Amino acid sequence: MKTINWGILGAARVNQRLLPAIECNQHSKILMLASRRNGAAEECIQQYTKNPEGIKTTTHFDDVIDHPEINAIYIPLANEEHTEVALQAIAQKKHVLIEKPMALTKQEVQSITQAAKDNNVIAMEGFMYVFHPQFDFVLDFINAGKLGKVQYAHSMFSFPIQPARYYRINRSMKDGGGALWDIGPYAIHTLRHVMRGHIKQVNASAKMNSHQADMSTSGILEFTDQRRATFDISFECTRRSEFEIFGDQGRIKCHTVWQHENDEAVITYELDGSAPIIEKIQKGNHFDLEINHFVECIFNNQESTKLSMHDAIQQAATMQAIYKSIHNNQWVHV
Ligand SMILES: NC(=O)c1ccc[n+]([C@@H]2O[C@H](COP(=O)([O-])OP(=O)(O)OC[C@H]3O[C@@H](n4cnc5c(N)ncnc54)[C@H](OP(=O)(O)O)[C@@H]3O)[C@@H](O)[C@H]2O)c1
């Protein structure tokens, strides 16, 4: 396979970042974009692609899913819609890049995993941030033992939700609405990846709006070795996308996870009483790097090592437990 022909399901806002990344990949070509809303697909490709002329549009998802020349499908649909279309696409032997959260339950992610295995295709959850060089820097720092033993981490993600995005909070958490499903995946994923180990149980509390969507949620992850991590996410606070890790010999902080490609990333750390050290990391476009990685996985016929399906299952199990904890107001085993 020399070229990966892409189909896109949904005229979503995030296409603004992903479509240029796909166009940038030397082995990729966007063949078709589907939107159920008349005119939205055309508008999307005009707005977000450099070469809209070669891209077909349709209002039927099946035109993309059944297209014989399309090998890979990007799924930026609303969170609760991912599983059904992913399974349809996989059944047609398409590789699928599914936006985070891949699904709302562990069982759904397991079904996607099994289907991908059965059909010999690659499925990956779209956590672009793991591809930024700053995240490699943090992981290398931990792996080199510079913090000593990692004991605790805290992550904070928020932005004040704008009226144009109110549809994200006009439906209940049960139906995929609210901050937990939207920005929560980053908070939990970063903690899981920097803390390592197994999460035993979680406890979380949320401030709900009248639609039973969470506006703000805070929580604790307790690992089997009793280490803890905490998170705080909100649609009501100023923009933050950061996490800090504490070992018994030092601390390190990533200041902006949602790093813009033109901005130099900054990581700060302190080691056992040293003055704070500022590390400037090379710029990087994590969306471009994510697509390059996914295409490489397809060419190598090998699941992602950075974002494996095992990781996606653990992620969904943790998210599901947090959701349950919010509603039952108690610790929930993962
Ligand atoms: N990786 C990242 O950086 C990142 C960033 C943001 C979001 N995300 C994830 O990407 C997915 C999509 O998020 P998003 O914020 O881009 O979604 P969005 O703009 O709300 O679009 C989601 C879907 O809803 C439909 N839609 C879009 N605008 C609509 C409107 N005005 N009225 C009715 N339906 C509309 C579209 O399907 P149709 O075109 O078929 O109607 C679209 O695919 C989510 O899973 C989210 O968690 C990832």
Side-chain angles (χ1 to χ4, degrees), residues 106-314:
K106 175 185 171 182
Q107 291 73 19
E108 286 173 287
V109 180
Q110 282 171 326
S111 68
I112 293 170
T113 307
Q114 191 58 50
K117 217 179 249 174
D118 294 345
N119 288 281
N120 194 26
V121 296
I122 307 294
M124 191 176 97
E125 187 169 23
F127 278 113
M128 76 303 173
Y129 83 92
V130 303
F131 299 100
H132 196 284
Q134 67 176 355
F135 197 61
D136 289 330
F137 181 89
V138 171
L139 293 185
D140 289 348
F141 204 87
I142 296 170
N143 291 340
K146 293 187 181 168
L147 297 177
K149 180 171 163 47
V150 171
Q151 296 287 12
Y152 170 75
H154 181 63
S155 66
M156 298 194 286
F157 288 78
S158 60
F159 60 83
I161 194 157
Q162 300 302 312
R165 302 278 126 198
Y166 278 177
Y167 60 84
R168 288 177 173 184
I169 50 171
N170 285 350
R171 60 190 198 284
S172 75
M173 292 183 82
K174 178 170 67 62
D175 298 323
L180 180 69
W181 296 122
D182 200 305
I183 47 181
Y186 295 109
I188 306 310
H189 203 257
T190 48
L191 292 179
R192 289 184 45 252
H193 278 245
V194 300
M195 291 291 290
R196 313 267 168 82
H198 293 289
I199 298 171
K200 180 181 160 201
Q201 56 181 352
V202 300
N203 199 336
S205 165
K207 174 184 169 190
M208 298 288 191
N209 69 8
S210 56
H211 301 277
Q212 290 307 302
D214 64 317
M215 295 299 290
S216 297
T217 290
S218 306
I220 309 170
L221 315 181
E222 186 183 290
F223 290 75
T224 45
D225 56 6
Q226 291 185 312
R227 291 177 307 144
R228 287 185 170 200
T230 53
F231 68 91
D232 178 48
I233 56 167
S234 179
F235 275 152
E236 301 174 302
C237 293
T238 189
R239 196 171 177 83
R240 300 171 297 174
S241 63
E242 57 190 70
F243 62 86
E244 187 161 14
I245 311 159
F246 299 80
D248 52 15
Q249 291 168 27
R251 62 201 275 182
I252 186 166
K253 180 165 183 172
C254 173
H255 295 261
T256 308
V257 174
W258 294 326
Q259 193 57 253
H260 194 274
E261 60 191 301
N262 296 330
D263 295 338
E264 199 164 42
V266 171
I267 299 287
T268 52
Y269 60 90
E270 288 174 40
L271 298 177
D272 255 354
S274 77
I277 296 165
I278 299 170
E279 189 80 34
K280 290 186 177 165
I281 312 284
Q282 70 192 88
K283 293 174 187 170
N285 181 326
H286 43 203
F287 296 102
D288 286 358
L289 295 166
E290 174 190 7
I291 294 299
N292 293 349
H293 175 81
F294 184 69
V295 166
E296 223 173 277
C297 291
I298 295 175
F299 282 137
N300 295 337
N301 192 27
Q302 226 162 40
E303 179 182 276
S304 170
T305 45
K306 280 202 168 217
L307 294 171
S308 68
M309 289 306 288
H310 175 71
D311 180 61
I313 291 170
Q314 296 307 312

